[in-house]
Amino acid sequence: MRRWNGWGDEKTKMDLPESAGRFLIQELGHSNTLADISLEEVIAKVPPSRLKEDALVSLDKEERVRHARGQSLPDWLAMRSGEIGVFPDGVCFPDNRQQVKDILAYAQKNDIDLIPYGGGTSVAGHINPKQSARATLTVDMRHMNQLMELDEESHIATFGAGTPGPMVEAQLRAKGYTLGHFPQSFELSTIGGWVASRSSGQQSLRYGRIEQLFAGGNLETFEGSLEVPTFPASSAGPDLREILMGSEGRFGILTEIKVRVSKLADREEFSVIFFPGWRQATDFCKHVVQSRIALSMLRVSNAVETQTQLKLAGHESSISWLERYLSLRGCKDKKCMLTFGITGSKEQVKSTKKHIGKFIKQGKGISTGNILGKKWQQNRFRFPYLREALWQQGYVVDTLETATDWSNVDNLMYKVELGLSQALQEQNEKIHVFTHLSHVYGQGCSLYTTYLFKNAKDYQETLHRWQKLKHRASDIIVNNGGTISHQHGVGKDHAPYLATEKGALGMKLLANISHHFDPEKQLNPGTLLND
């Protein structure tokens, strides 16, 4: 059963080892836990719906609770405290494209706002209803979850937009294929959500981000159906796929997604290297990707993240042995952990290992083989469960991400981390902050920053602390050469910062496209565009 007030399955947990608790107290001090409200208590707070009974719509109060929030930290605090604010007036579950058309017609006729809902994994406020004079209907796409067609000659697969990651892969692998798109939200997020938010998978070095994988599809709008055909390439004007990608429900509802798939590889390995410092680790990333060596994944943790991961891992005796070994080999207090993946045939894997060997040697890297890599692979989709474990100890964790050119990486990372670490100085509160590069490109990379802080005395003050941290970091990012989002999308949380990145003319263009498809602003209002 899925948690109503947190991430994932209720039966899945990631417990913190005792050593992790000691580390958190050392870094941040003792904290207090805040009381959680029950689902029954929240259901009792749900107001009467403003929608009339209809065959398309469920007015069930529990469904309205479960569709009121996503997975951002404000969402977490709202669900835990019960101060959710605005609930959708109803939820519908279309089975096919015609029912989506019927829902759009119903909303247009009755002046209703619509919010498309995939896996509910948004960490930027995409799916949260806004206070409005209109009723709000959430459109849950979960029933449209099938592989509809597989063109094995062209390697094009067509899915219903509500297909979650595990079902995408299961249906493809049964036929010998993979999409290869593995965001950390893979367990719950959907293929339509990946397109709508311009998602990036952990192995995008091999398979590409969603914009490389997305070949075409269908968008249902108030104006009718927008069919985007699949071409390997085209110079016939602007690419209409870009209308769908990153649209975040503002232009219509995605119903069918066509993607470029690959044959399953023969082999896949994940390995870990430790470098003496940040410069050697990032130089390795830069040189490998700019040399076009065929890795499938590459991520590197800065020194503080490396230390934190080792402390939170438990297995104190094994970690102590590892640290002594690394110290003897020259990787001491400033060491940085780098994880990479190789995917392909036996010959490709062998060749890639040979090619990266010289770069490892140049950076004085120490290989630990694939034992730690296998551990990462086993837990790659379990890390979001850490928020629950930390919460039970009285600590709050959140993340933010951006991307920038290589020449700006160190500058931007330093400013973001410094800004976060100083954001609560007036309250005399420490922030534990660290960063890794999650995706690398020839031009630059993404920066994925995690920060931990203590609960305040109550939910309201804890939310206020987050707001200060989020604003400080977002403002630094957009004013120092970073994008407001590399992989999480804009939603409502990032919308106020988008104009700095896009400029006045760019924002006007987006607003005009939105007005063309939705002149009355009924489609996910407040998302993407700060209206």
Side-chain angles (χ1 to χ4, degrees):
M1 184 68 175
R2 182 167 172 177
R3 284 189 177 90
W4 73 272
N5 63 350
W7 179 266
D9 192 293
E10 291 176 346
K11 296 178 181 178
T12 303
K13 294 197 306 180
M14 283 193 78
D15 294 324
L16 287 176
E18 187 178 330
S19 58
R22 294 196 301 269
F23 175 73
L24 291 167
I25 292 170
Q26 173 189 315
E27 294 297 320
L28 296 172
H30 289 275
S31 188
N32 61 287
T33 57
L34 300 176
D36 292 343
I37 196 170
S38 70
L39 175 58
E40 292 71 25
E41 290 173 300
V42 177
I43 290 173
K45 293 185 172 191
V46 179
S49 174
R50 294 171 289 179
L51 294 171
K52 296 177 182 179
E53 294 283 349
D54 190 277
L56 288 170
V57 179
S58 169
L59 305 182
D60 181 79
K61 288 189 174 183
E62 183 173 336
E63 289 289 4
R64 292 169 63 194
V65 171
R66 288 181 175 273
H67 289 81
R69 291 282 184 153
Q71 294 294 327
S72 70
L73 187 56
D75 295 337
W76 176 278
L77 297 175
M79 292 185 291
R80 294 286 172 158
S81 67
E83 297 302 318
I84 290 177
V86 183
F87 298 87
D89 290 277
V91 185
C92 57
F93 303 88
D95 292 323
N96 52 56
R97 189 196 293 192
Q98 183 56 52
Q99 288 187 2
V100 173
K101 292 180 179 181
D102 293 343
I103 290 163
L104 284 160
Y106 168 79
Q108 196 167 36
K109 178 181 177 181
N110 294 284
D111 196 29
I112 294 166
D113 288 342
L114 294 178
I115 298 179
Y117 184 103
T121 61
S122 166
V123 293
H126 292 86
I127 58 176
N128 302 357
K130 290 185 70 176
Q131 192 69 49
S132 173
R134 292 190 184 113
T136 300
L137 178 60
T138 294
V139 186
D140 188 319
M141 302 295 289
R142 71 176 65 175
H143 292 168
M144 299 176 69
N145 59 15
Q146 295 299 305
L147 172 61
M148 303 166 70
E149 183 184 359
L150 176 61
D151 179 346
E152 296 197 54
E153 188 171 5
S154 305
H155 284 195
I156 299 289
T158 304
F159 284 93
T163 313
M167 289 184 70
V168 169
E169 283 300 315
Q171 292 177 82
L172 285 175
R173 285 169 185 255
K175 298 178 181 293
Y177 292 86
T178 181
L179 180 61
H181 192 72
F182 302 110
Q184 194 170 76
S185 62
F186 173 80
E187 179 185 356
L188 301 175
S189 57
T190 64
I191 195 168
W194 298 342
V195 172
S197 62
R198 299 189 76 103
S199 171
S200 189
Q202 293 169 344
Q203 289 172 259
S204 60
L205 262 181
R206 175 177 173 87
Y207 299 105
R209 281 169 51 97
I210 199 65
E211 52 258 48
Q212 284 82 50
L213 297 171
F214 177 55
N218 170 259
L219 182 76
E220 291 299 333
T221 80
F222 287 134
E223 295 292 315
S225 301
L226 178 61
E227 298 279 357
V228 178
T230 59
F231 298 117
S234 171
S235 66
D239 190 346
L240 291 181
R241 292 180 314 130
E242 295 291 341
I243 297 291
L244 279 61
M245 288 191 295
S247 56
E248 301 191 358
R250 288 307 305 253
F251 308 150
I253 299 177
L254 290 162
T255 63
E256 294 169 15
I257 306 295
K258 297 178 182 291
V259 286
R260 302 177 176 110
V261 298
S262 304
K263 278 283 191 180
L264 281 168
D266 297 329
R267 299 189 65 175
E268 185 162 77
E269 296 181 8
F270 297 95
S271 304
V272 170
I273 307 166
F274 286 87
F275 286 95
W278 179 248
R279 175 55 54 213
Q280 293 97 326
T282 54
D283 281 349
F284 173 87
C285 292
K286 201 183 321 180
H287 294 153
V288 164
V289 73
Q290 289 175 348
S291 299
R292 301 184 185 274
I293 293 177
L295 297 180
S296 61
M297 189 210 68
L298 185 55
R299 62 179 283 168
V300 59
S301 300
N302 69 7
V304 177
E305 178 165 297
T306 299
Q307 178 198 35
T308 302
Q309 287 186 331
L310 293 175
K311 292 291 186 183
L312 296 185
H315 312 292
E316 289 183 83
S317 60
S318 298
I319 295 298
S320 178
W321 180 91
L322 173 65
E323 296 215 75
R324 286 198 300 271
Y325 168 73
L326 292 172
S327 181
L328 289 171
R329 297 288 305 274
C331 290
K332 300 182 180 180
D333 295 342
K334 299 296 183 181
K335 62 183 173 293
C336 293
M337 183 167 66
L338 183 145
T339 306
F340 68 92
I342 307 175
T343 306
S345 66
K346 181 179 178 180
E347 293 75 19
Q348 287 173 323
V349 171
K350 183 178 179 180
S351 174
T352 297
K353 285 181 176 179
K354 179 180 178 182
H355 283 128
I356 65 171
K358 67 175 182 179
F359 294 118
I360 296 173
K361 187 175 181 180
Q362 285 174 4
K364 299 181 180 179
I366 307 300
S367 175
T368 60
N370 58 16
I371 295 175
L372 294 177
K374 285 180 179 178
K375 280 287 184 185
W376 176 85
Q377 186 179 15
Q378 291 166 5
N379 293 311
R380 64 193 295 191
F381 306 127
R382 290 169 54 87
F383 292 113
Y385 289 94
L386 274 175
R387 179 175 273 178
E388 179 76 31
L390 290 162
W391 178 255
Q392 299 303 332
Q393 299 286 331
Y395 300 96
V396 179
V397 62
D398 197 28
T399 62
L400 54 88
E401 42 76 38
T402 182
T404 193
D405 296 343
W406 282 117
S407 56
N408 190 43
V409 167
D410 289 353
N411 169 62
L412 186 57
M413 183 178 74
Y414 171 78
K415 288 180 176 177
V416 169
E417 289 194 345
L418 181 65
L420 287 168
S421 67
Q422 295 178 345
L424 300 182
Q425 278 185 337
E426 291 180 5
Q427 290 81 24
N428 199 30
E429 289 294 332
K430 295 179 181 178
I431 310 298
H432 186 59
V433 56
F434 46 85
T435 299
H436 67 263
L437 311 186
S438 63
H439 300 78
V440 296
Y441 309 91
Q443 176 185 345
C445 64
S446 65
L447 291 163
Y448 196 98
T449 298
T450 302
Y451 54 101
L452 291 86
F453 59 99
K454 295 189 303 184
N455 280 332
K457 65 181 185 297
D458 56 34
Y459 278 96
Q460 186 175 3
E461 178 57 29
T462 303
L463 177 61
H464 180 63
R465 288 181 181 181
W466 174 85
Q467 288 169 334
K468 291 188 72 172
L469 289 159
K470 181 70 172 179
H471 174 68
R472 175 73 67 87
S474 299
D475 189 60
I476 289 170
I477 285 169
V478 296
N479 286 294
N480 287 276
T483 175
I484 192 57
S485 178
H486 168 264
Q487 64 207 64
H488 289 162
V490 178
K492 297 178 181 68
D493 294 349
H494 295 152
Y497 306 96
L498 190 63
T500 304
E501 178 173 330
K502 301 296 186 187
L505 194 57
M507 293 303 297
K508 184 177 180 181
L509 175 61
L510 292 176
N512 286 341
I513 296 172
S514 177
H515 181 77
H516 170 77
F517 285 111
D518 179 28
E520 300 302 321
K521 298 182 181 178
Q522 293 174 252
L523 296 173
N524 216 1
T527 298
L528 184 64
L529 300 169
N530 191 25
D531 51 12

